Amino acid sequence: ASQIPSVAAAAPVSSRSVTAVYADENWSTTATGTTNDYFRVTNRTLTAGRIFLESEVRAGAAVCVIGETVRKNLFGAMDPLGSRIRLGKISVEVVGVLASKGQSGMGMDQDDLVIIPLRTLERRMTGNQDIGMIMVSAQEGASTTAVQHAIEALLRERRNITGSKEDNFAVMDMKEIADTLTSTTRILTALLGAVAAVS
């Protein structure tokens, strides 16, 4: 974020599958360890509560923000704010609830997650500092292609990849993924149309 001027925000992300438990209810979901930049990068808003305090992010506090699917399955009509849920072996306080985003273009439920501070996940769940992904948003008006190339160059430098050596990382532009999905949908629609015509 500090070395590429056209980057608006960058959020480290580390995830693991967990069973979330509240009272007699339990739900298999994903615990996502990250920072407050995650909410900015993914354009997520809250319907209740708050995001993390900076002191909670730094200390790896036992707090969480839950998605709508998790809220519905664990709490039903109850207000979850202030309640504690168990994620595996740790207990965390619900401080916020995400606004629903529904399914992604790839059919994934974007509301089926529990967000916790990255340090909480590292210290109390995984026991390591491995980062699976870095999510980045470009500043308004910036070329995402230029940002992508700048990220690739920085990562090659950081990882000491020189000359013609292949990258040991992948940088994906969501616009490219969206375009691919749109193209695939068009092809499937055309194929279904052709099958219907034959029928």
Side-chain angles (χ1 to χ4, degrees), residues 14 20 48 75 145 184:
S14 183
F75 295 95
T145 303
T184 304

Side-chain angles (χ1 to χ4, degrees), residues 18-195:
V18 293
T19 298
V21 180
Y22 176 74
D24 295 330
E25 302 296 334
N26 64 78
W27 182 253
S28 294
T29 186
T30 302
T32 297
T34 187
T35 63
N36 280 329
D37 279 329
Y38 175 88
F39 302 100
R40 185 176 172 193
V41 170
T42 57
N43 198 26
R44 299 296 301 245
T45 56
L46 274 62
T47 55
R50 60 172 175 83
I51 61 174
F52 309 128
L53 303 175
E54 285 305 317
S55 58
E56 291 171 339
V57 174
R58 284 195 304 271
V63 290
C64 71
V65 173
I66 62 175
E68 179 58 23
T69 299
V70 176
R71 184 207 64 75
K72 185 172 59 180
N73 283 284
L74 291 186
F75 295 95
M78 291 172 54
D79 178 5
L81 294 182
S83 299
R84 299 192 76 84
I85 62 173
R86 202 168 74 248
L87 300 176
K89 294 179 180 177
I90 71 167
S91 171
V92 293
E93 179 187 350
V94 179
V95 297
V97 180
L98 290 169
S100 178
K101 269 205 167 186
Q103 286 199 336
S104 68
M106 290 173 276
M108 290 177 60
D109 184 353
Q110 298 179 89
D111 303 322
D112 192 4
L113 79 169
V114 177
I115 302 167
I116 61 177
L118 179 62
R119 284 193 175 175
T120 309
L121 185 106
E122 290 175 343
R123 292 174 178 175
R124 304 179 66 178
M125 294 181 80
T126 64
N128 62 56
Q129 295 184 316
D130 294 347
I131 301 297
M133 176 170 50
I134 301 170
M135 300 184 80
V136 177
S137 63
Q139 290 186 358
E140 195 170 339
S143 162
T144 55
T145 303
V147 171
Q148 183 172 347
H149 292 327
I151 291 169
E152 287 166 349
L154 181 62
L155 286 175
R156 284 182 67 86
E157 180 188 319
R158 292 269 178 90
R159 291 169 170 242
N160 297 312
I161 303 170
T162 56
S164 60
K165 287 183 183 175
E166 285 189 16
D167 294 341
N168 56 8
F169 59 87
V171 180
M172 292 177 287
D173 184 345
M174 289 308 291
K175 184 177 180 300
E176 287 177 17
I177 295 169
D179 289 347
T180 302
L181 285 170
T182 302
S183 173
T184 304
T185 304
R186 275 199 213 102
I187 291 166
L188 287 172
T189 304
L191 284 172
L192 288 170
V195 168

